[in-house]
Amino acid sequence: MAPDSSVFRRQRPGWEFPRAVRAEGVHIWDERGRRLIDAAGGALVVNVGHGVAEIAEAMAAQAARLAYVHGSELTSEPVEALARALAARVPLDDARLFLVSGGSEATETAIKLARQIAVARGEPGRVKVIFRRPSYHGASLGALAVSGRPTMRADFEPMLAAMPSIPAPYPYRCRLPGCGEVCSLACCDALATTIEAEGPATVAAFIAEPVIGASAGAVVPPADYYRRIRETCDRFGVLFIADEVMTGLGRTGRWFGMDHWAGVRPDIVTTGKGLTSGYLPGGAVLARGDLVDRVQDAGGFHHGFTYSHHPVVAAVGLAVLRYLERHDLVARAGVTGVHLLARLRGLVDLPAVGDVRGIGLMAAVEVVRDRAAREPYPRAARMAQRIQAEALRRGVIVYASGGQVEGAGDLVMLGPPLGITTGQIDEVVDVLGDAIAAATREA
Ligand SMILES: Cc1ncc(COP(=O)(O)O)c(C=O)c1O
């Protein structure tokens, strides 16, 4: 059968791609004039909201003035200014910026930087990066090798570098010995055990999303989790990479997700998504200054992309940052996020709603077939996608994810633009409730 489009996309059986033509604030209009509420900001991307003229203008002005220089030859004012602005916000000492084009590139860059730091320190045996299951750090092969996402890994498993993993903190599905109603942080202790089992002299870094994104659905680790992770990393000379691709730039109600764990500072922070808020593909690695100096003194960072340190990406990042500051959107996300979670918790009356969780404007509903047993729908039921389709039919875009229970499991994520109003949140949650009811009624 001839396709109705020449675009090659992820396969989505039965999904008709509405054609988007215009967007503003939390709304997207399709070609039929239908107004949709973008309750997911795409994939938790559009932190500043759609159609912000000053960001488009900053982008156009920079493209007209200086669109491109190669980052290994020349620098530019927007890149320098963005580095200073992010350094003032990120929980890192003397942060330095490596600007890239997306989250997966940021993960690749962070992993390679951690490796080069080990080499520069005279510890060439440190080649492993410990990651958590579930987790997601990107689709490229290096990033996928440290991602605990069975559905995305499956076909590529034989091609992935073998890296050690530990269980992620995931209270709703935790079955670790010693963990019951009260969390014993056994998942956290697994880091020390794994480093010891692998041999501390072989481990370069540990990578974690401060709040777990699409692979587990907005899971917030316990209060003491990262203090203990930091202690363990320090004890064994292992670097701590915080993947803030989803949590960075205000999504959780703080500038960075790690800001919720006061006093804990990672060594390397990655970010993306909200950094350019979808106006351009962008991502960033920020690293402790003394570590970067070490690599530079040892001969420099052997890494880079054609589009690293792109002036227009930097100009957009800077315009996004200034917009978030001027409209106080980060604090606002903290406040409206409380309303969002309170409203979502009201959905637990629906029998298929197993758990509701999140922080700030990063939230998820975990949907299950049997609530008492926490049993997921079979993977073939594609329940998250069905709910997404029902919500779209009712005018609301949510983000469908899952696969966290050995490939099964359904998560509906919300991550709207940070300026969303409480009235719009009410509308979104009402529609989501109807969508869950409709999709699960037929199942
Ligand atoms: C936490 C996290 N890290 C990395 C990535 C990969 O980013 P990208 O899709 O921009 O390559 C994602 C994307 O969803 C993410 O959520």
Side-chain angles (χ1 to χ4, degrees):
M1 198 174 77
D4 61 357
S5 164
S6 301
V7 179
F8 174 33
R9 286 180 276 252
R10 274 188 189 188
Q11 205 217 355
R12 293 211 55 178
W15 185 264
E16 282 173 32
F17 286 85
R19 193 164 298 211
V21 292
R22 178 168 85 78
E24 193 182 316
V26 299
H27 292 115
I28 297 177
W29 283 263
D30 72 9
E31 64 182 344
R32 291 184 289 144
R34 208 160 67 109
R35 194 180 77 165
L36 306 165
I37 298 184
D38 185 5
L44 291 88
V45 171
V46 191
N47 292 17
V48 294
H50 294 282
V52 178
E54 68 188 61
I55 292 169
E57 283 157 14
M59 176 165 37
Q62 186 58 45
R65 194 179 312 122
L66 173 75
Y68 177 76
V69 289
H70 196 276
S72 70
E73 295 160 353
L74 295 164
T75 188
S76 64
E77 183 47 32
V79 170
E80 298 296 330
L82 180 65
R84 287 192 299 273
L86 284 172
R89 294 283 181 199
V90 72
L92 285 172
D93 297 325
D94 183 22
R96 309 287 170 77
L97 167 71
F98 199 99
L99 192 63
V100 294
S101 310
S104 302
E105 277 194 12
T107 300
E108 298 287 340
T109 304
I111 290 172
K112 289 175 76 178
L113 179 60
R115 166 65 184 156
Q116 269 208 257
I117 292 166
V119 174
R121 282 172 161 173
E123 299 180 300
R126 290 189 186 261
V127 296
K128 297 173 190 165
V129 176
I130 301 179
F131 66 100
R132 306 188 300 193
R133 290 178 191 270
S135 65
Y136 185 60
H137 301 290
S140 54
L141 290 175
L144 197 56
V146 296
S147 292
R149 195 104 202 244
T151 50
M152 290 190 76
R153 289 176 66 105
D155 287 349
F156 307 100
E157 203 68 63
M159 302 168 74
L160 301 177
M163 294 289 180
S165 63
I166 62 171
Y170 185 6
Y172 182 66
R173 296 201 173 274
C174 182
R175 287 204 213 103
L176 290 173
C179 242
E181 276 308 302
V182 179
C183 170
S184 72
L185 282 174
C187 56
C188 193
D189 296 340
L191 181 59
T193 331
T194 303
I195 295 173
E196 276 172 330
E198 296 288 331
T202 70
V203 181
F206 169 67
I207 187 166
E209 301 151 82
V211 177
I212 308 174
S215 66
V219 175
V220 186
D224 207 28
Y225 181 85
Y226 286 111
R227 187 188 62 76
R228 285 168 68 163
I229 289 288
R230 180 72 266 182
E231 267 178 21
T232 305
C233 288
D234 288 344
R235 177 146 49 100
F236 295 106
V238 168
L239 296 171
F240 173 22
I241 304 170
D243 177 347
E244 299 253 14
V245 169
M246 194 176 273
T247 49
L249 283 299
R251 172 57 54 203
T252 68
R254 302 271 171 93
W255 277 94
F256 286 89
M258 283 309 300
D259 293 335
H260 291 280
W261 286 269
V264 183
R265 290 166 93 76
D267 300 299
I268 299 173
V269 169
T270 59
T271 192
K273 295 189 186 267
L275 176 69
T276 47
S277 280
Y279 286 77
L280 270 183
V285 175
L286 294 141
R288 258 173 52 198
D290 60 314
L291 299 174
V292 173
D293 287 343
R294 196 86 185 239
V295 170
Q296 303 292 32
D297 292 346
F301 192 24
H302 303 141
H303 175 76
F305 304 102
T306 296
Y307 293 124
S308 301
H309 303 297
H310 197 288
V312 184
V313 173
V316 169
L318 208 52
V320 163
L321 217 101
R322 297 300 175 229
Y323 189 87
L324 292 174
E325 285 171 350
R326 200 150 23 81
H327 296 271
D328 203 18
L329 285 181
V330 179
R332 187 190 161 114
V335 175
T336 40
V338 171
H339 182 76
L340 172 64
L341 272 178
R343 284 297 324 268
L344 285 176
R345 291 208 171 97
L347 298 181
V348 294
D349 289 344
L350 295 166
V353 172
D355 195 27
V356 169
R357 50 189 179 249
I359 186 165
L361 286 174
M362 176 172 176
V365 176
E366 180 159 346
V367 177
V368 288
R369 179 160 76 175
D370 179 338
R371 185 148 72 182
R374 301 188 179 184
E375 182 202 330
Y377 283 93
R379 192 172 164 192
R382 301 177 67 82
M383 185 49 72
Q385 282 80 3
R386 281 161 72 169
I387 293 167
Q388 185 186 39
E390 291 290 349
L392 183 63
R393 196 171 303 149
R394 292 164 172 78
V396 170
I397 304 172
V398 298
Y399 187 63
S401 189
Q404 77 282 13
V405 195
E406 287 126 33
D410 293 283
L411 303 162
V412 179
M413 288 197 74
L414 299 177
L418 307 189
I420 193 168
T421 64
T422 50
Q424 288 163 336
I425 287 174
D426 292 344
E427 208 178 324
V428 165
V429 176
D430 288 346
V431 165
L432 180 58
D434 291 346
I436 293 173
T440 53
R441 194 180 307 124
E442 297 156 15

